[in-house]
Amino acid sequence: MPSGLVTFVFTDIEASTRLFRALGDGYPAVLERHNELLREAWHRHLGVEVKTEGDAFFVAFESAADAMAACVDAQRALAVEVWGDGVQVRARMGVHTGLAAPKDGDYIAYAVHQAARVVGAAHGGQVLASPDAVDAAGEVTGIEFVRLGRFRLRDFDEPTDLFQVAGGPVQVEFPAVRAIPAEGHNLAGPQDSFVGRDTDLAGVVELLEQCRLVSMVGPGGVGKTRLAIEVGLHVAANNRDGVWLVDLSSVTDGSQVAAAVADALGVSTAGTGAVEAVTDHLAGAEALVVFDNCEHLLDFAAGLISEVLERCAEVTVLATSREPLALAAEAVWRLGPLHESAIELFVDRARRADARFALDAENREVVAAICDRVDGLPLAVELAAARIDKLTPEGILAGLDDKFRLLRSRRRDLDERQRSLHTLLDWSYDLLNESEQAALRRLAVYADSFSIEGAEAAAGWGTVDECDVAETVWTLVDKSLVVPDTSDNESRYRLLATIRTYGRERLEAAGEATEAWQRTGAWLASRLGPQSDRDPSWLRNTHVEADSIRAAVNALTDIDVRLGQKLACSLAMLHDADGTYREGIPEIADYIQRLRAPSSDRCALLGQFAFMQTQRRLPIDPEVLVEAQQLVALGTTEPDWCRGRLATAVALSAYESGDPGHALQMAEQALNGDLLTHERARWLSLLGMACADLGALDRAVGAWREELGLHVELGDPKFISTVEGNLAEAFLRLGNRREAAQHQLSALEVGVQWGMAQVVAFALIVSARICAAENRWADAVLLHTVADDILDDLALPLHDQDRQLSDDMLLEAESHLDEIELESLTSRGRDFELPEAISAARSILEPLKDGARAPTLA
C-alpha cells in the first residue's frame, strides 16, 4: 500500500438499487462481472484495492497517472461488455491525490474523504478528478483533462475545480456536475449591464420571499430571461443548495422537460423516470429553480413544477413565459416595456457598438423617438442601438419604417430567436391556435386601443366566431400579445406597435386585409360617422378612436372610397369641435385629394372643409365650393346635415367677404327658397351676423332665436353653443348684461360638456366685456388674457369686428391701470389652466344672470 502522496480512486455503480430490483436473482452475476473488470484494470495499472463494499471500490495508487489510466481502462471495459437483457452497467469514478499513510490495511486521511466527495459529483460512465490529482498526473498519453468549472464540495475548504478525465471511448458529454457551482448557481455571467429594471428586480425578489412560485410574464423581447438571471444572482446567497437555471427554449418535446431539468441539476435519470429523479434530488434541498421559456411547453412545465412544489417543501420556482402557468400557487409578475429607462438602455448598448457615442441635447429627442417607435421593448431597443456604428440616430429612426429589416443582429452568442425581432414574433405567433392567430392579425387594424365591441367587429368573422372574440382577446392578453389599456377608465386593449406591424403583415399574407378594414371601418362609421354627433359621448369616443379612424381612412383609399369619405368627415368634425383647424385643414385637404369618388359623403367632406377654412379666416378654395354645389345639383347629397354643412360654408364665405349688405341679400334670398332644416338654420345664422354688423341688433336677435329653435329641434348641441354665444354678444351690445350672461353661460356649459376650448375662450371674452362695462378693468384684462392664450393655442383668430371691440376695450383698460399692474395681470392670465379658466368664467356669469354682482377676480 503506497504511502506519502497517494492517489485515491472511489467508484460505485450508478442507480445500483434500481438495477438490483430490475435484475433480481440475476444481479449477483452482473455485480461479479463488474468487479472482475474493474479489478483487472486496477491490477494492470498497479492499483491496490483497499476495500470493496457492495458495488463500490476504494483503490490506492502510487502514481496519479496510473490511476487515471486505470479508470479509463475500467470505463472502456464496462462500456464494451455485453451484459444482455438490455442491461447497462455504468460506474461513477472519482480521483483525488493527497498525503496519506496506511494503517492496519486501511487509510485514515483527510484526502480519503475528499476523494469520496469527488466521486459523489460524477455521473455513471464519468471519471472526475480534483486539481491535485491532475497536477500529480501531469501529461498522460491518450488522456485529456477537461475543466468543468469550480464547485462547492464538502470536505474541501474552498470551492475547487473539477476535471473530466477523457480518453478512448469514454463518454465526453454528461449532464452538469452533481455539485453546487462555486458561485451558488449555474447562471451564466451576464455579458452586459443590467439597465432599467431595478423596480422589477426588487418586486420579484420580494415576491419570491412570499410565494413559492412566481411566474414572470411578458411579450417576447421584453427581457424576461435577463431579469430572471439578475434575480437568481441576487438571491443565490440565500439558497443553501443553489440557484438553477433550466433553459427550455431548445426543448421541443414536452416529455423531455423533466430530463432538461435533471440535466441542469446534474441529476442522473438512469434506471428511473426523470420526474422522480428530479423530485428525489430536490427533496430536502433549499434551492431556487428557474424554468426559463415555458410558453411552448406550458402544460408539461406546469405539471413538473406542481410536482416539485408538492414534494420538495423548501424549493422555490421562478418561471418565465409569455403567459401564466395557471397553477393555484402561482403569483404573476407582468413585465412591461421600458419607459424612461429605454433611453438609458439605448445609450448603454450604443456605446458598446461605438464607444464614441454620447447622448446630447441634439440627439436626445431622436433617441427618445426611436425608443418610442419600438415600444420600449428591450430587445428592439438593443437591436436598434447596435446599428449606431453604421447609422446616425436620425438614420436609425428613418429605418424603423421597415423595422423588421433594421432590427436584426449578427451577434453569434445570441439565441437564434433573439437575433431578429421578426423571428421572435414568428415564435409567439406559431404558438397560437388558428382562431387566436386570426384574431391577432385582424386586431392589428386598430392603430390604438380598442373595445371588445370593436374587437368583435374586426375579428369576429370567418374562422372566428363573434361570440368567442372576448375570450380570445383575454387569452391573447394572457399570452402577452395584447395589452390591457385602462387609460380611459374603461376596459380597452391594444397591441404594441411592433406586434401591430407584424399583425398587419400577417393580415396581408392571409388575404384578409380588405374584409378586415371594411368591417372595422363600417363599425367605426356606424358609431362615429358624421350623422352620429348629437351626443357628448360622440366627441369622447371619436377622440379615443381617432388614430384608428385615420388608419382606416388610409387603408380604405384603395378599398372602399365612400366609407373612407364618411370616416374622413368624422375627423373633420372632430377638428371643428376641438378647434384644431391648424392641424386639421392640411389633413382633410389630403383626404379630399385622395378620396375623389362623387357621393353625398364627399359633398359633406367638402362642406366641412370649407367651413374649417372660414374658421381660420382663410379664403375658401373656390374649386371646393363649385364641386360641392355640383354634387348637390346632381342629387348625390342624401341627408339634411350634408347640405347643411355646405350651406354653412357658403354663408360664412359670404360673411367673410367683408360686405355685410351683400351677405344680408344672400341670406334673405336663400331663406325664401325651399330649404332643409339644417340649411335654413345656417342661413339664419348668416342673416343674424349680417344684421349685427349693420347695427340691426334686434333683427339679429330674432334670426338667432329662430336658428336656436331649429338646432334644439335637430338636437345639435355644437351649433346650439354657437348661437347662444351670438345671442350673448348681441344682448351685451344692447346693454342687457343679465340676458347676455344667461346666454353665454348656456353656451359655456355646452362647450364644457363637449370639450370645446374655443367656447370657453368666447365666454371669457364676453365676461371680460361685462367687467369692462362695470369699470372693473383689472378683471377685464385678466379674463381677456386667458381667452387670448386659449385662442392662440388653437390658432383661432377672432372675427374682425370682435377683434376691434376687444382691442378698444383693452386700450381703454390700459388708461386705468399702471404698467406694473398690466404686466402682472398678463403674466397671471397666461398661467391659467383650462379648468381654472372655466371656473373664472362661471364666477362672472352665474351671479349676473340672476341680477347679482359678480365677485372681483384680480
Side-chain angles (χ1 to χ4, degrees), residues 107-141:
Y107 286 93
I108 301 175
Y110 198 56
V112 173
H113 297 281
Q114 291 176 314
R117 301 305 179 193
V118 173
V119 74
H123 294 278
Q126 186 177 38
V127 182
L128 291 184
S130 71
D132 295 319
V134 171
D135 289 343
E139 292 189 11
V140 183
T141 303

Short mmCIF file of all heavy atoms in Angstrom, two decimals, residues 107-141:
data_model
loop_
_atom_site.label_atom_id
_atom_site.label_comp_id
_atom_site.label_asym_id
_atom_site.label_seq_id
_atom_site.Cartn_x
_atom_site.Cartn_y
_atom_site.Cartn_z
N TYR A 107 -6.69 3.33 5.16
CA TYR A 107 -6.13 4.69 5.22
C TYR A 107 -7.05 5.57 6.06
O TYR A 107 -8.28 5.54 5.91
CB TYR A 107 -6.04 5.31 3.81
CG TYR A 107 -4.94 4.74 2.95
CD1 TYR A 107 -5.22 3.68 2.10
CD2 TYR A 107 -3.66 5.27 2.98
CE1 TYR A 107 -4.23 3.15 1.29
CE2 TYR A 107 -2.65 4.75 2.17
CZ TYR A 107 -2.94 3.69 1.32
OH TYR A 107 -1.96 3.19 0.52
N ILE A 108 -6.47 6.30 6.98
CA ILE A 108 -7.22 7.31 7.73
C ILE A 108 -6.58 8.64 7.41
O ILE A 108 -5.52 8.98 7.95
CB ILE A 108 -7.17 7.01 9.25
CG1 ILE A 108 -7.75 5.63 9.54
CG2 ILE A 108 -7.93 8.10 10.01
CD1 ILE A 108 -7.61 5.21 10.99
N ALA A 109 -7.19 9.35 6.46
CA ALA A 109 -6.61 10.61 5.98
C ALA A 109 -7.72 11.50 5.43
O ALA A 109 -8.75 11.03 4.93
CB ALA A 109 -5.55 10.34 4.91
N TYR A 110 -7.50 12.80 5.53
CA TYR A 110 -8.48 13.77 5.02
C TYR A 110 -8.67 13.60 3.52
O TYR A 110 -9.77 13.77 2.98
CB TYR A 110 -7.99 15.19 5.34
CG TYR A 110 -9.08 16.23 5.27
CD1 TYR A 110 -10.24 16.10 6.04
CD2 TYR A 110 -8.94 17.35 4.46
CE1 TYR A 110 -11.23 17.06 5.98
CE2 TYR A 110 -9.93 18.32 4.40
CZ TYR A 110 -11.08 18.17 5.17
OH TYR A 110 -12.05 19.12 5.11
N ALA A 111 -7.59 13.22 2.82
CA ALA A 111 -7.66 13.06 1.36
C ALA A 111 -8.64 11.97 0.97
O ALA A 111 -9.23 12.01 -0.12
CB ALA A 111 -6.27 12.75 0.81
N VAL A 112 -8.85 10.97 1.84
CA VAL A 112 -9.80 9.90 1.55
C VAL A 112 -11.22 10.47 1.49
O VAL A 112 -12.00 10.17 0.59
CB VAL A 112 -9.70 8.78 2.61
CG1 VAL A 112 -10.81 7.74 2.40
CG2 VAL A 112 -8.33 8.13 2.56
N HIS A 113 -11.54 11.28 2.48
CA HIS A 113 -12.89 11.89 2.50
C HIS A 113 -13.09 12.78 1.28
O HIS A 113 -14.17 12.81 0.67
CB HIS A 113 -13.06 12.71 3.78
CG HIS A 113 -13.00 11.88 5.02
ND1 HIS A 113 -14.04 11.13 5.48
CD2 HIS A 113 -11.97 11.69 5.90
CE1 HIS A 113 -13.71 10.51 6.59
NE2 HIS A 113 -12.44 10.83 6.88
N GLN A 114 -12.05 13.51 0.90
CA GLN A 114 -12.15 14.39 -0.26
C GLN A 114 -12.36 13.59 -1.55
O GLN A 114 -13.15 13.97 -2.41
CB GLN A 114 -10.89 15.26 -0.37
CG GLN A 114 -10.79 16.30 0.74
CD GLN A 114 -9.50 17.07 0.68
OE1 GLN A 114 -8.42 16.49 0.52
NE2 GLN A 114 -9.59 18.40 0.84
N ALA A 115 -11.67 12.47 -1.67
CA ALA A 115 -11.84 11.63 -2.86
C ALA A 115 -13.28 11.12 -2.95
O ALA A 115 -13.86 11.02 -4.04
CB ALA A 115 -10.86 10.46 -2.81
N ALA A 116 -13.88 10.79 -1.80
CA ALA A 116 -15.27 10.32 -1.79
C ALA A 116 -16.23 11.42 -2.25
O ALA A 116 -17.26 11.14 -2.89
CB ALA A 116 -15.63 9.85 -0.38
N ARG A 117 -15.89 12.68 -1.95
CA ARG A 117 -16.74 13.79 -2.40
C ARG A 117 -16.63 13.98 -3.91
O ARG A 117 -17.59 14.35 -4.58
CB ARG A 117 -16.35 15.08 -1.69
CG ARG A 117 -16.47 15.03 -0.19
CD ARG A 117 -17.84 14.61 0.27
NE ARG A 117 -17.91 14.53 1.72
CZ ARG A 117 -18.93 13.95 2.38
NH1 ARG A 117 -19.92 13.40 1.69
NH2 ARG A 117 -18.93 13.91 3.70
N VAL A 118 -15.45 13.72 -4.46
CA VAL A 118 -15.26 13.89 -5.91
C VAL A 118 -16.13 12.88 -6.65
O VAL A 118 -16.81 13.23 -7.62
CB VAL A 118 -13.77 13.73 -6.30
CG1 VAL A 118 -13.63 13.74 -7.83
CG2 VAL A 118 -12.94 14.84 -5.68
N VAL A 119 -16.12 11.62 -6.22
CA VAL A 119 -16.93 10.63 -6.93
C VAL A 119 -18.42 10.94 -6.79
O VAL A 119 -19.23 10.65 -7.67
CB VAL A 119 -16.62 9.20 -6.44
CG1 VAL A 119 -17.22 8.93 -5.07
CG2 VAL A 119 -17.16 8.18 -7.44
N GLY A 120 -18.80 11.56 -5.69
CA GLY A 120 -20.21 11.91 -5.49
C GLY A 120 -20.73 12.92 -6.48
O GLY A 120 -21.94 13.05 -6.68
N ALA A 121 -19.82 13.65 -7.13
CA ALA A 121 -20.24 14.65 -8.12
C ALA A 121 -20.33 14.09 -9.52
O ALA A 121 -20.77 14.78 -10.44
CB ALA A 121 -19.26 15.84 -8.10
N ALA A 122 -19.89 12.83 -9.71
CA ALA A 122 -19.81 12.25 -11.05
C ALA A 122 -21.11 11.56 -11.45
O ALA A 122 -21.97 11.27 -10.61
CB ALA A 122 -18.64 11.26 -11.11
N HIS A 123 -21.20 11.29 -12.76
CA HIS A 123 -22.32 10.53 -13.32
C HIS A 123 -21.80 9.17 -13.76
O HIS A 123 -20.59 8.97 -13.94
CB HIS A 123 -22.91 11.26 -14.52
CG HIS A 123 -23.56 12.55 -14.17
ND1 HIS A 123 -24.85 12.64 -13.68
CD2 HIS A 123 -23.10 13.82 -14.22
CE1 HIS A 123 -25.15 13.90 -13.44
NE2 HIS A 123 -24.10 14.66 -13.76
N GLY A 124 -22.72 8.23 -13.96
CA GLY A 124 -22.34 6.93 -14.47
C GLY A 124 -21.59 7.04 -15.79
O GLY A 124 -22.03 7.74 -16.70
N GLY A 125 -20.45 6.34 -15.90
CA GLY A 125 -19.64 6.41 -17.10
C GLY A 125 -18.63 7.53 -17.08
O GLY A 125 -17.83 7.66 -18.01
N GLN A 126 -18.65 8.34 -16.04
CA GLN A 126 -17.80 9.53 -15.97
C GLN A 126 -16.69 9.36 -14.94
O GLN A 126 -16.88 8.76 -13.88
CB GLN A 126 -18.66 10.75 -15.61
CG GLN A 126 -17.92 12.09 -15.66
CD GLN A 126 -18.86 13.26 -15.35
OE1 GLN A 126 -19.74 13.15 -14.50
NE2 GLN A 126 -18.64 14.36 -16.05
N VAL A 127 -15.51 9.92 -15.27
CA VAL A 127 -14.39 9.98 -14.33
C VAL A 127 -14.12 11.44 -14.02
O VAL A 127 -13.83 12.23 -14.93
CB VAL A 127 -13.12 9.33 -14.92
CG1 VAL A 127 -11.99 9.37 -13.88
CG2 VAL A 127 -13.38 7.90 -15.35
N LEU A 128 -14.21 11.82 -12.75
CA LEU A 128 -13.89 13.18 -12.32
C LEU A 128 -12.61 13.15 -11.51
O LEU A 128 -12.35 12.20 -10.76
CB LEU A 128 -15.02 13.77 -11.48
CG LEU A 128 -16.34 14.09 -12.18
CD1 LEU A 128 -17.31 14.75 -11.20
CD2 LEU A 128 -16.13 14.98 -13.39
N ALA A 129 -11.84 14.22 -11.65
CA ALA A 129 -10.58 14.32 -10.91
C ALA A 129 -10.43 15.69 -10.31
O ALA A 129 -10.89 16.70 -10.87
CB ALA A 129 -9.40 14.02 -11.84
N SER A 130 -9.79 15.74 -9.14
CA SER A 130 -9.51 17.01 -8.48
C SER A 130 -8.28 17.65 -9.12
O SER A 130 -7.48 16.98 -9.79
CB SER A 130 -9.26 16.77 -7.00
OG SER A 130 -8.01 16.11 -6.82
N PRO A 131 -8.04 18.95 -8.90
CA PRO A 131 -6.84 19.60 -9.42
C PRO A 131 -5.55 18.96 -8.89
O PRO A 131 -4.55 18.86 -9.61
CB PRO A 131 -6.97 21.05 -8.95
CG PRO A 131 -8.41 21.24 -8.65
CD PRO A 131 -8.92 19.91 -8.20
N ASP A 132 -5.59 18.49 -7.62
CA ASP A 132 -4.41 17.87 -7.06
C ASP A 132 -4.04 16.60 -7.83
O ASP A 132 -2.85 16.33 -8.09
CB ASP A 132 -4.64 17.51 -5.58
CG ASP A 132 -4.82 18.77 -4.73
OD1 ASP A 132 -4.09 19.76 -4.95
OD2 ASP A 132 -5.71 18.76 -3.86
N ALA A 133 -5.06 15.83 -8.20
CA ALA A 133 -4.80 14.60 -8.95
C ALA A 133 -4.31 14.91 -10.36
O ALA A 133 -3.41 14.24 -10.88
CB ALA A 133 -6.06 13.75 -9.00
N VAL A 134 -4.90 15.91 -10.99
CA VAL A 134 -4.49 16.29 -12.35
C VAL A 134 -3.04 16.79 -12.34
O VAL A 134 -2.22 16.43 -13.20
CB VAL A 134 -5.45 17.34 -12.93
CG1 VAL A 134 -4.91 17.90 -14.25
CG2 VAL A 134 -6.82 16.74 -13.13
N ASP A 135 -2.70 17.63 -11.36
CA ASP A 135 -1.33 18.15 -11.27
C ASP A 135 -0.34 17.01 -11.04
O ASP A 135 0.77 16.99 -11.63
CB ASP A 135 -1.22 19.16 -10.13
CG ASP A 135 -1.94 20.47 -10.45
OD1 ASP A 135 -2.24 20.70 -11.64
OD2 ASP A 135 -2.23 21.23 -9.51
N ALA A 136 -0.70 16.07 -10.20
CA ALA A 136 0.19 14.95 -9.89
C ALA A 136 0.38 14.03 -11.09
O ALA A 136 1.45 13.44 -11.28
CB ALA A 136 -0.33 14.17 -8.70
N ALA A 137 -0.66 13.92 -11.93
CA ALA A 137 -0.59 13.02 -13.09
C ALA A 137 0.26 13.60 -14.20
O ALA A 137 0.94 12.85 -14.94
CB ALA A 137 -1.99 12.72 -13.61
N GLY A 138 0.24 14.92 -14.36
CA GLY A 138 0.96 15.53 -15.48
C GLY A 138 0.33 15.12 -16.80
O GLY A 138 -0.88 14.90 -16.89
N GLU A 139 1.12 14.97 -17.83
CA GLU A 139 0.62 14.53 -19.12
C GLU A 139 0.55 13.01 -19.17
O GLU A 139 1.52 12.33 -18.84
CB GLU A 139 1.51 15.05 -20.25
CG GLU A 139 1.45 16.56 -20.43
CD GLU A 139 2.17 17.02 -21.69
OE1 GLU A 139 2.53 16.15 -22.52
OE2 GLU A 139 2.37 18.24 -21.83
N VAL A 140 -0.60 12.50 -19.60
CA VAL A 140 -0.81 11.05 -19.70
C VAL A 140 -1.19 10.74 -21.14
O VAL A 140 -2.16 11.29 -21.67
CB VAL A 140 -1.92 10.57 -18.74
CG1 VAL A 140 -2.06 9.05 -18.82
CG2 VAL A 140 -1.62 11.02 -17.32
N THR A 141 -0.42 9.88 -21.77
CA THR A 141 -0.66 9.56 -23.18
C THR A 141 -2.07 9.03 -23.39
O THR A 141 -2.54 8.13 -22.69
CB THR A 141 0.35 8.50 -23.66
OG1 THR A 141 1.68 8.99 -23.44
CG2 THR A 141 0.15 8.19 -25.14
#
